[in-house]
Amino acid sequence: IRDRYQRRVHGKVGFDDSAEFRQAEIFKLHDPAEEDPRETEAHKYGLNYIGLTGNIACLVNGAGLAMATMDIIKLKGGYPANFLDVGGSATKEQVTAAFKILQGDPKVKGILVNIFGGIMKCDIIAEGIVKAAKEVGLRFPLVVRLSGTNSEKGSKILAESGLNITTADDLNSAASKIVGLAGKCSA
């Protein structure tokens, strides 16, 4: 370095799991202790999780929907706590695992579930939410927006669950609701 200043660079490199058979030597170097434990737990269930610094957890299906959800939370004055993508073919068990991961984050003061059911069926998401909420309880506000395949069935499951779940018809109102509720939460 000619100008006598030190520079430090930090980076993270990830490898697609489907490359493991071709990159066996690289995959042997994997050390889960160096990862966020929430990412490791999510990976066990085939979920994609990235931790952030905010207080509103996001459970979505699809990276594009995740980005839009985080953007509108910020627009409404909130701060996303994560990016948790359950994908397009999640099971009740995966949704339950996702919910437990979100509730385990001490910074979280509310959860926004934003699902667009194309391939993913909204009733499966709703059943997973209800199962998880009954297993681990609801420590803070939960707002759910379901749209698409079986959304009416999913909304009915949530309404009949007896749980304190706030629903929304669109992402704009869902984000407004969770930002308002998370701001009032003392969990």
Side-chain angles (χ1 to χ4, degrees), residues 99-157:
F99 199 82
K100 288 178 181 179
I101 292 166
L102 297 178
Q103 290 228 114
D105 184 339
K107 296 184 308 278
V108 168
K109 302 294 182 202
I111 299 174
L112 173 57
V113 176
N114 184 23
I115 300 295
F116 179 75
I119 298 169
M120 185 71 247
K121 294 181 174 88
C122 293
D123 57 317
I124 300 297
I125 295 289
E127 289 171 358
I129 291 168
V130 169
K131 179 181 177 195
K134 288 182 176 178
E135 280 183 29
V136 298
L138 283 176
R139 295 194 330 260
F140 31 67
L142 171 63
V143 175
V144 179
R145 181 246 180 185
L146 302 173
S147 179
T149 306
N150 294 350
S151 59
E152 296 85 10
K153 190 174 178 183
S155 295
K156 183 177 180 191
I157 290 167

Tab-separated table of all heavy atoms in Angstrom, residues 99-157:
chain	number	residue	atom	x	y	z
A	99	PHE	N	-41.935	-19.317	12.433
A	99	PHE	CA	-42.554	-18.510	13.472
A	99	PHE	C	-41.743	-18.576	14.762
A	99	PHE	O	-41.526	-17.559	15.437
A	99	PHE	CB	-43.977	-19.022	13.703
A	99	PHE	CG	-44.871	-18.043	14.383
A	99	PHE	CD1	-45.489	-17.036	13.670
A	99	PHE	CD2	-45.097	-18.127	15.741
A	99	PHE	CE1	-46.330	-16.138	14.289
A	99	PHE	CE2	-45.931	-17.228	16.380
A	99	PHE	CZ	-46.547	-16.232	15.650
A	100	LYS	N	-41.247	-19.742	15.097
A	100	LYS	CA	-40.423	-19.903	16.303
A	100	LYS	C	-39.119	-19.126	16.178
A	100	LYS	O	-38.655	-18.512	17.146
A	100	LYS	CB	-40.139	-21.381	16.564
A	100	LYS	CG	-41.361	-22.138	17.052
A	100	LYS	CD	-41.039	-23.606	17.240
A	100	LYS	CE	-42.257	-24.379	17.709
A	100	LYS	NZ	-41.958	-25.829	17.866
A	101	ILE	N	-38.516	-19.143	15.003
A	101	ILE	CA	-37.287	-18.379	14.773
A	101	ILE	C	-37.552	-16.890	14.975
A	101	ILE	O	-36.792	-16.193	15.644
A	101	ILE	CB	-36.715	-18.661	13.364
A	101	ILE	CG1	-36.207	-20.105	13.282
A	101	ILE	CG2	-35.602	-17.670	13.015
A	101	ILE	CD1	-35.948	-20.589	11.864
A	102	LEU	N	-38.646	-16.401	14.422
A	102	LEU	CA	-38.979	-14.983	14.549
A	102	LEU	C	-39.234	-14.591	15.995
A	102	LEU	O	-38.783	-13.546	16.459
A	102	LEU	CB	-40.204	-14.646	13.694
A	102	LEU	CG	-40.058	-14.840	12.187
A	102	LEU	CD1	-41.361	-14.515	11.491
A	102	LEU	CD2	-38.912	-14.015	11.636
A	103	GLN	N	-39.962	-15.429	16.708
A	103	GLN	CA	-40.285	-15.120	18.099
A	103	GLN	C	-39.057	-15.222	19.004
A	103	GLN	O	-39.061	-14.683	20.104
A	103	GLN	CB	-41.396	-16.032	18.619
A	103	GLN	CG	-42.746	-15.738	18.011
A	103	GLN	CD	-43.822	-15.632	19.050
A	103	GLN	OE1	-44.368	-14.563	19.239
A	103	GLN	NE2	-44.135	-16.717	19.712
A	104	GLY	N	-38.021	-15.905	18.547
A	104	GLY	CA	-36.816	-16.046	19.351
A	104	GLY	C	-35.877	-14.852	19.288
A	104	GLY	O	-34.899	-14.797	20.016
A	105	ASP	N	-36.174	-13.893	18.428
A	105	ASP	CA	-35.329	-12.707	18.285
A	105	ASP	C	-35.727	-11.683	19.353
A	105	ASP	O	-36.854	-11.187	19.342
A	105	ASP	CB	-35.499	-12.118	16.885
A	105	ASP	CG	-34.589	-10.945	16.609
A	105	ASP	OD1	-34.103	-10.295	17.567
A	105	ASP	OD2	-34.361	-10.654	15.422
A	106	PRO	N	-34.821	-11.346	20.270
A	106	PRO	CA	-35.185	-10.429	21.365
A	106	PRO	C	-35.508	-9.006	20.915
A	106	PRO	O	-36.141	-8.267	21.663
A	106	PRO	CB	-33.940	-10.443	22.269
A	106	PRO	CG	-32.827	-10.915	21.407
A	106	PRO	CD	-33.436	-11.799	20.361
A	107	LYS	N	-35.107	-8.625	19.706
A	107	LYS	CA	-35.406	-7.273	19.215
A	107	LYS	C	-36.819	-7.152	18.655
A	107	LYS	O	-37.338	-6.055	18.511
A	107	LYS	CB	-34.394	-6.869	18.138
A	107	LYS	CG	-32.970	-6.745	18.615
A	107	LYS	CD	-32.038	-6.246	17.521
A	107	LYS	CE	-32.086	-6.984	16.248
A	107	LYS	NZ	-31.363	-8.202	16.059
A	108	VAL	N	-37.424	-8.261	18.317
A	108	VAL	CA	-38.717	-8.237	17.637
A	108	VAL	C	-39.822	-7.762	18.581
A	108	VAL	O	-39.944	-8.237	19.706
A	108	VAL	CB	-39.050	-9.627	17.044
A	108	VAL	CG1	-40.496	-9.711	16.586
A	108	VAL	CG2	-38.111	-9.928	15.883
A	109	LYS	N	-40.634	-6.832	18.078
A	109	LYS	CA	-41.781	-6.305	18.823
A	109	LYS	C	-43.094	-6.550	18.077
A	109	LYS	O	-44.157	-6.188	18.555
A	109	LYS	CB	-41.622	-4.799	19.058
A	109	LYS	CG	-40.377	-4.414	19.808
A	109	LYS	CD	-40.396	-4.920	21.219
A	109	LYS	CE	-39.143	-4.460	21.949
A	109	LYS	NZ	-38.837	-5.276	23.098
A	110	GLY	N	-43.004	-7.146	16.899
A	110	GLY	CA	-44.190	-7.461	16.115
A	110	GLY	C	-43.807	-8.268	14.889
A	110	GLY	O	-42.651	-8.227	14.450
A	111	ILE	N	-44.773	-9.024	14.359
A	111	ILE	CA	-44.537	-9.856	13.178
A	111	ILE	C	-45.547	-9.475	12.102
A	111	ILE	O	-46.747	-9.387	12.364
A	111	ILE	CB	-44.678	-11.357	13.488
A	111	ILE	CG1	-43.656	-11.799	14.539
A	111	ILE	CG2	-44.530	-12.200	12.219
A	111	ILE	CD1	-43.824	-13.238	15.000
A	112	LEU	N	-45.038	-9.291	10.885
A	112	LEU	CA	-45.885	-9.081	9.724
A	112	LEU	C	-45.724	-10.283	8.799
A	112	LEU	O	-44.626	-10.576	8.344
A	112	LEU	CB	-45.501	-7.800	8.975
A	112	LEU	CG	-46.221	-7.556	7.640
A	112	LEU	CD1	-47.730	-7.537	7.810
A	112	LEU	CD2	-45.745	-6.255	7.010
A	113	VAL	N	-46.823	-10.976	8.569
A	113	VAL	CA	-46.850	-12.087	7.619
A	113	VAL	C	-47.484	-11.554	6.348
A	113	VAL	O	-48.616	-11.064	6.374
A	113	VAL	CB	-47.658	-13.287	8.166
A	113	VAL	CG1	-47.745	-14.391	7.121
A	113	VAL	CG2	-47.041	-13.804	9.453
A	114	ASN	N	-46.760	-11.640	5.245
A	114	ASN	CA	-47.258	-11.146	3.967
A	114	ASN	C	-47.094	-12.258	2.941
A	114	ASN	O	-45.985	-12.549	2.507
A	114	ASN	CB	-46.482	-9.899	3.544
A	114	ASN	CG	-47.024	-9.287	2.276
A	114	ASN	OD1	-48.192	-9.488	1.920
A	114	ASN	ND2	-46.197	-8.548	1.578
A	115	ILE	N	-48.203	-12.875	2.577
A	115	ILE	CA	-48.174	-14.032	1.683
A	115	ILE	C	-49.005	-13.752	0.446
A	115	ILE	O	-50.161	-13.340	0.538
A	115	ILE	CB	-48.731	-15.296	2.386
A	115	ILE	CG1	-47.907	-15.636	3.623
A	115	ILE	CG2	-48.817	-16.471	1.422
A	115	ILE	CD1	-46.466	-16.030	3.357
A	116	PHE	N	-48.387	-13.997	-0.701
A	116	PHE	CA	-49.131	-13.999	-1.947
A	116	PHE	C	-49.195	-15.440	-2.414
A	116	PHE	O	-48.183	-16.026	-2.782
A	116	PHE	CB	-48.477	-13.122	-3.020
A	116	PHE	CG	-49.249	-13.161	-4.303
A	116	PHE	CD1	-50.432	-12.469	-4.425
A	116	PHE	CD2	-48.821	-13.935	-5.364
A	116	PHE	CE1	-51.180	-12.529	-5.594
A	116	PHE	CE2	-49.548	-13.996	-6.539
A	116	PHE	CZ	-50.738	-13.299	-6.650
A	117	GLY	N	-50.372	-16.006	-2.341
A	117	GLY	CA	-50.553	-17.411	-2.691
A	117	GLY	C	-50.713	-17.601	-4.178
A	117	GLY	O	-51.782	-17.385	-4.724
A	118	GLY	N	-49.651	-17.983	-4.815
A	118	GLY	CA	-49.698	-18.448	-6.192
A	118	GLY	C	-49.535	-19.948	-6.095
A	118	GLY	O	-50.494	-20.700	-6.031
A	119	ILE	N	-48.296	-20.364	-5.960
A	119	ILE	CA	-48.006	-21.768	-5.697
A	119	ILE	C	-48.310	-22.078	-4.234
A	119	ILE	O	-48.906	-23.098	-3.908
A	119	ILE	CB	-46.528	-22.077	-6.020
A	119	ILE	CG1	-46.255	-21.842	-7.502
A	119	ILE	CG2	-46.165	-23.493	-5.616
A	119	ILE	CD1	-44.790	-21.872	-7.868
A	120	MET	N	-47.885	-21.175	-3.344
A	120	MET	CA	-48.119	-21.351	-1.907
A	120	MET	C	-49.584	-21.142	-1.595
A	120	MET	O	-50.179	-20.172	-2.032
A	120	MET	CB	-47.269	-20.332	-1.133
A	120	MET	CG	-47.309	-20.474	0.372
A	120	MET	SD	-46.450	-21.937	0.944
A	120	MET	CE	-47.799	-22.898	1.585
A	121	LYS	N	-50.159	-22.068	-0.844
A	121	LYS	CA	-51.574	-21.959	-0.463
A	121	LYS	C	-51.687	-21.237	0.878
A	121	LYS	O	-51.039	-21.607	1.848
A	121	LYS	CB	-52.189	-23.353	-0.391
A	121	LYS	CG	-52.257	-24.030	-1.745
A	121	LYS	CD	-52.905	-25.411	-1.618
A	121	LYS	CE	-53.107	-26.021	-2.981
A	121	LYS	NZ	-51.967	-26.779	-3.454
A	122	CYS	N	-52.516	-20.216	0.905
A	122	CYS	CA	-52.654	-19.382	2.094
A	122	CYS	C	-53.198	-20.152	3.297
A	122	CYS	O	-52.872	-19.823	4.436
A	122	CYS	CB	-53.552	-18.179	1.787
A	122	CYS	SG	-52.827	-17.014	0.612
A	123	ASP	N	-54.001	-21.174	3.069
A	123	ASP	CA	-54.525	-21.949	4.190
A	123	ASP	C	-53.417	-22.723	4.904
A	123	ASP	O	-53.457	-22.894	6.130
A	123	ASP	CB	-55.660	-22.878	3.758
A	123	ASP	CG	-55.272	-23.836	2.648
A	123	ASP	OD1	-54.588	-23.404	1.687
A	123	ASP	OD2	-55.664	-25.013	2.709
A	124	ILE	N	-52.411	-23.163	4.170
A	124	ILE	CA	-51.270	-23.862	4.781
A	124	ILE	C	-50.504	-22.900	5.681
A	124	ILE	O	-50.122	-23.246	6.807
A	124	ILE	CB	-50.330	-24.456	3.702
A	124	ILE	CG1	-51.070	-25.461	2.816
A	124	ILE	CG2	-49.084	-25.064	4.337
A	124	ILE	CD1	-51.598	-26.676	3.525
A	125	ILE	N	-50.292	-21.687	5.199
A	125	ILE	CA	-49.621	-20.666	6.007
A	125	ILE	C	-50.443	-20.400	7.268
A	125	ILE	O	-49.898	-20.360	8.376
A	125	ILE	CB	-49.437	-19.352	5.210
A	125	ILE	CG1	-48.491	-19.571	4.026
A	125	ILE	CG2	-48.966	-18.219	6.113
A	125	ILE	CD1	-47.037	-19.783	4.380
A	126	ALA	N	-51.745	-20.228	7.117
A	126	ALA	CA	-52.614	-19.946	8.263
A	126	ALA	C	-52.567	-21.087	9.281
A	126	ALA	O	-52.485	-20.842	10.495
A	126	ALA	CB	-54.049	-19.709	7.789
A	127	GLU	N	-52.621	-22.332	8.814
A	127	GLU	CA	-52.548	-23.473	9.735
A	127	GLU	C	-51.217	-23.485	10.477
A	127	GLU	O	-51.170	-23.779	11.682
A	127	GLU	CB	-52.751	-24.780	8.971
A	127	GLU	CG	-54.179	-24.979	8.500
A	127	GLU	CD	-54.343	-26.169	7.557
A	127	GLU	OE1	-53.334	-26.839	7.215
A	127	GLU	OE2	-55.493	-26.435	7.155
A	128	GLY	N	-50.131	-23.181	9.791
A	128	GLY	CA	-48.821	-23.120	10.431
A	128	GLY	C	-48.730	-22.017	11.460
A	128	GLY	O	-48.160	-22.197	12.542
A	129	ILE	N	-49.309	-20.862	11.155
A	129	ILE	CA	-49.317	-19.735	12.094
A	129	ILE	C	-50.075	-20.115	13.358
A	129	ILE	O	-49.605	-19.893	14.473
A	129	ILE	CB	-49.941	-18.478	11.450
A	129	ILE	CG1	-49.019	-17.932	10.366
A	129	ILE	CG2	-50.245	-17.410	12.500
A	129	ILE	CD1	-49.663	-16.873	9.487
A	130	VAL	N	-51.245	-20.696	13.180
A	130	VAL	CA	-52.076	-21.085	14.328
A	130	VAL	C	-51.353	-22.138	15.174
A	130	VAL	O	-51.286	-22.042	16.403
A	130	VAL	CB	-53.464	-21.578	13.866
A	130	VAL	CG1	-54.230	-22.221	15.003
A	130	VAL	CG2	-54.255	-20.416	13.260
A	131	LYS	N	-50.787	-23.131	14.514
A	131	LYS	CA	-50.047	-24.185	15.227
A	131	LYS	C	-48.901	-23.582	16.033
A	131	LYS	O	-48.719	-23.879	17.215
A	131	LYS	CB	-49.526	-25.221	14.235
A	131	LYS	CG	-48.732	-26.340	14.870
A	131	LYS	CD	-48.211	-27.322	13.829
A	131	LYS	CE	-47.353	-28.381	14.505
A	131	LYS	NZ	-46.553	-29.136	13.561
A	132	ALA	N	-48.118	-22.731	15.390
A	132	ALA	CA	-46.968	-22.117	16.059
A	132	ALA	C	-47.400	-21.219	17.208
A	132	ALA	O	-46.813	-21.257	18.291
A	132	ALA	CB	-46.144	-21.327	15.061
A	133	ALA	N	-48.417	-20.413	16.978
A	133	ALA	CA	-48.885	-19.495	18.021
A	133	ALA	C	-49.392	-20.263	19.241
A	133	ALA	O	-49.178	-19.843	20.379
A	133	ALA	CB	-49.975	-18.582	17.466
A	134	LYS	N	-50.025	-21.393	19.002
A	134	LYS	CA	-50.513	-22.200	20.130
A	134	LYS	C	-49.360	-22.905	20.841
A	134	LYS	O	-49.408	-23.106	22.043
A	134	LYS	CB	-51.569	-23.189	19.651
A	134	LYS	CG	-52.878	-22.484	19.303
A	134	LYS	CD	-53.964	-23.430	18.875
A	134	LYS	CE	-55.257	-22.648	18.633
A	134	LYS	NZ	-56.349	-23.490	18.180
A	135	GLU	N	-48.317	-23.267	20.113
A	135	GLU	CA	-47.158	-23.935	20.716
A	135	GLU	C	-46.291	-22.978	21.516
A	135	GLU	O	-45.860	-23.304	22.617
A	135	GLU	CB	-46.293	-24.603	19.637
A	135	GLU	CG	-46.803	-25.923	19.153
A	135	GLU	CD	-45.860	-26.567	18.135
A	135	GLU	OE1	-44.628	-26.324	18.189
A	135	GLU	OE2	-46.367	-27.315	17.291
A	136	VAL	N	-45.992	-21.822	20.947
A	136	VAL	CA	-45.051	-20.905	21.597
A	136	VAL	C	-45.712	-19.637	22.132
A	136	VAL	O	-45.068	-18.857	22.815
A	136	VAL	CB	-43.885	-20.514	20.660
A	136	VAL	CG1	-43.085	-21.721	20.274
A	136	VAL	CG2	-44.364	-19.776	19.440
A	137	GLY	N	-46.980	-19.436	21.849
A	137	GLY	CA	-47.693	-18.258	22.315
A	137	GLY	C	-47.406	-17.033	21.459
A	137	GLY	O	-46.483	-17.022	20.653
A	138	LEU	N	-48.223	-16.030	21.636
A	138	LEU	CA	-48.032	-14.750	20.944
A	138	LEU	C	-47.568	-13.733	21.974
A	138	LEU	O	-48.350	-13.305	22.812
A	138	LEU	CB	-49.343	-14.275	20.306
A	138	LEU	CG	-49.770	-14.942	19.016
A	138	LEU	CD1	-51.135	-14.435	18.573
A	138	LEU	CD2	-48.755	-14.707	17.924
A	139	ARG	N	-46.302	-13.380	21.917
A	139	ARG	CA	-45.751	-12.429	22.888
A	139	ARG	C	-45.902	-10.985	22.432
A	139	ARG	O	-45.703	-10.067	23.214
A	139	ARG	CB	-44.276	-12.731	23.129
A	139	ARG	CG	-44.044	-14.074	23.773
A	139	ARG	CD	-42.633	-14.235	24.316
A	139	ARG	NE	-41.614	-13.493	23.611
A	139	ARG	CZ	-40.794	-14.015	22.699
A	139	ARG	NH1	-40.889	-15.279	22.373
A	139	ARG	NH2	-39.872	-13.265	22.124
A	140	PHE	N	-46.209	-10.800	21.158
A	140	PHE	CA	-46.334	-9.456	20.629
A	140	PHE	C	-47.283	-9.473	19.429
A	140	PHE	O	-47.709	-10.531	18.992
A	140	PHE	CB	-44.975	-8.864	20.245
A	140	PHE	CG	-43.968	-9.864	19.793
A	140	PHE	CD1	-44.131	-10.558	18.604
A	140	PHE	CD2	-42.868	-10.144	20.566
A	140	PHE	CE1	-43.206	-11.483	18.184
A	140	PHE	CE2	-41.933	-11.078	20.155
A	140	PHE	CZ	-42.099	-11.741	18.973
A	141	PRO	N	-47.621	-8.295	18.895
A	141	PRO	CA	-48.610	-8.223	17.812
A	141	PRO	C	-48.224	-9.020	16.567
A	141	PRO	O	-47.046	-9.111	16.202
A	141	PRO	CB	-48.680	-6.735	17.483
A	141	PRO	CG	-48.167	-6.037	18.692
A	141	PRO	CD	-47.154	-6.962	19.300
A	142	LEU	N	-49.262	-9.567	15.942
A	142	LEU	CA	-49.114	-10.326	14.701
A	142	LEU	C	-50.137	-9.796	13.712
A	142	LEU	O	-51.340	-9.796	13.994
A	142	LEU	CB	-49.344	-11.816	14.962
A	142	LEU	CG	-49.435	-12.730	13.738
A	142	LEU	CD1	-48.121	-12.733	12.966
A	142	LEU	CD2	-49.797	-14.147	14.177
A	143	VAL	N	-49.653	-9.320	12.565
A	143	VAL	CA	-50.520	-8.860	11.485
A	143	VAL	C	-50.291	-9.785	10.297
A	143	VAL	O	-49.155	-10.060	9.927
A	143	VAL	CB	-50.220	-7.389	11.087
A	143	VAL	CG1	-51.054	-6.975	9.880
A	143	VAL	CG2	-50.485	-6.458	12.269
A	144	VAL	N	-51.399	-10.268	9.718
A	144	VAL	CA	-51.309	-11.217	8.615
A	144	VAL	C	-52.069	-10.677	7.416
A	144	VAL	O	-53.232	-10.288	7.528
A	144	VAL	CB	-51.884	-12.599	9.011
A	144	VAL	CG1	-51.797	-13.574	7.845
A	144	VAL	CG2	-51.159	-13.152	10.227
A	145	ARG	N	-51.397	-10.688	6.277
A	145	ARG	CA	-52.020	-10.334	5.002
A	145	ARG	C	-51.880	-11.542	4.077
A	145	ARG	O	-50.776	-11.994	3.777
A	145	ARG	CB	-51.321	-9.126	4.399
A	145	ARG	CG	-51.946	-8.679	3.080
A	145	ARG	CD	-50.977	-8.896	1.989
A	145	ARG	NE	-51.509	-8.489	0.699
A	145	ARG	CZ	-50.853	-8.690	-0.406
A	145	ARG	NH1	-49.680	-9.246	-0.405
A	145	ARG	NH2	-51.372	-8.341	-1.552
A	146	LEU	N	-53.005	-12.108	3.693
A	146	LEU	CA	-53.039	-13.247	2.783
A	146	LEU	C	-53.740	-12.825	1.501
A	146	LEU	O	-54.812	-12.220	1.549
A	146	LEU	CB	-53.798	-14.421	3.404
A	146	LEU	CG	-53.298	-14.964	4.742
A	146	LEU	CD1	-54.265	-16.007	5.280
A	146	LEU	CD2	-51.909	-15.540	4.594
A	147	SER	N	-53.154	-13.189	0.370
A	147	SER	CA	-53.765	-12.870	-0.907
A	147	SER	C	-53.466	-14.006	-1.871
A	147	SER	O	-52.348	-14.506	-1.915
A	147	SER	CB	-53.175	-11.563	-1.455
A	147	SER	OG	-53.740	-11.248	-2.703
A	148	GLY	N	-54.476	-14.415	-2.633
A	148	GLY	CA	-54.245	-15.454	-3.632
A	148	GLY	C	-54.876	-16.783	-3.278
A	148	GLY	O	-55.923	-16.835	-2.628
A	149	THR	N	-54.227	-17.867	-3.677
A	149	THR	CA	-54.768	-19.219	-3.561
A	149	THR	C	-55.186	-19.540	-2.127
A	149	THR	O	-54.376	-19.490	-1.202
A	149	THR	CB	-53.732	-20.255	-4.045
A	149	THR	OG1	-53.318	-19.908	-5.363
A	149	THR	CG2	-54.320	-21.663	-4.039
A	150	ASN	N	-56.449	-19.860	-1.964
A	150	ASN	CA	-57.046	-20.240	-0.676
A	150	ASN	C	-56.952	-19.153	0.396
A	150	ASN	O	-56.942	-19.458	1.586
A	150	ASN	CB	-56.450	-21.546	-0.157
A	150	ASN	CG	-56.782	-22.741	-1.016
A	150	ASN	OD1	-57.618	-22.657	-1.921
A	150	ASN	ND2	-56.139	-23.853	-0.771
A	151	SER	N	-56.901	-17.885	-0.021
A	151	SER	CA	-56.797	-16.810	0.966
A	151	SER	C	-58.048	-16.712	1.837
A	151	SER	O	-57.942	-16.451	3.040
A	151	SER	CB	-56.500	-15.471	0.305
A	151	SER	OG	-57.500	-15.119	-0.623
A	152	GLU	N	-59.228	-16.959	1.266
A	152	GLU	CA	-60.451	-16.918	2.062
A	152	GLU	C	-60.435	-18.022	3.112
A	152	GLU	O	-60.787	-17.803	4.272
A	152	GLU	CB	-61.706	-17.059	1.175
A	152	GLU	CG	-61.912	-15.928	0.193
A	152	GLU	CD	-61.138	-16.121	-1.108
A	152	GLU	OE1	-60.578	-17.229	-1.346
A	152	GLU	OE2	-61.071	-15.151	-1.887
A	153	LYS	N	-60.011	-19.200	2.707
A	153	LYS	CA	-59.913	-20.333	3.635
A	153	LYS	C	-58.890	-20.020	4.735
A	153	LYS	O	-59.129	-20.287	5.915
A	153	LYS	CB	-59.514	-21.587	2.855
A	153	LYS	CG	-59.597	-22.865	3.636
A	153	LYS	CD	-59.309	-24.053	2.714
A	153	LYS	CE	-59.334	-25.369	3.481
A	153	LYS	NZ	-58.994	-26.504	2.613
A	154	GLY	N	-57.754	-19.445	4.358
A	154	GLY	CA	-56.730	-19.074	5.331
A	154	GLY	C	-57.229	-18.022	6.305
A	154	GLY	O	-56.998	-18.127	7.520
A	155	SER	N	-57.941	-17.030	5.806
A	155	SER	CA	-58.490	-15.980	6.670
A	155	SER	C	-59.496	-16.560	7.652
A	155	SER	O	-59.537	-16.156	8.822
A	155	SER	CB	-59.147	-14.885	5.831
A	155	SER	OG	-58.171	-14.226	5.051
A	156	LYS	N	-60.275	-17.514	7.201
A	156	LYS	CA	-61.258	-18.163	8.080
A	156	LYS	C	-60.547	-18.945	9.193
A	156	LYS	O	-60.969	-18.906	10.351
A	156	LYS	CB	-62.155	-19.099	7.263
A	156	LYS	CG	-63.253	-19.751	8.064
A	156	LYS	CD	-64.147	-20.613	7.195
A	156	LYS	CE	-65.219	-21.239	8.079
A	156	LYS	NZ	-65.964	-22.274	7.402
A	157	ILE	N	-59.485	-19.641	8.850
A	157	ILE	CA	-58.710	-20.390	9.848
A	157	ILE	C	-58.186	-19.436	10.921
A	157	ILE	O	-58.279	-19.716	12.122
A	157	ILE	CB	-57.550	-21.167	9.171
A	157	ILE	CG1	-58.114	-22.314	8.330
A	157	ILE	CG2	-56.541	-21.672	10.203
A	157	ILE	CD1	-57.112	-22.947	7.368
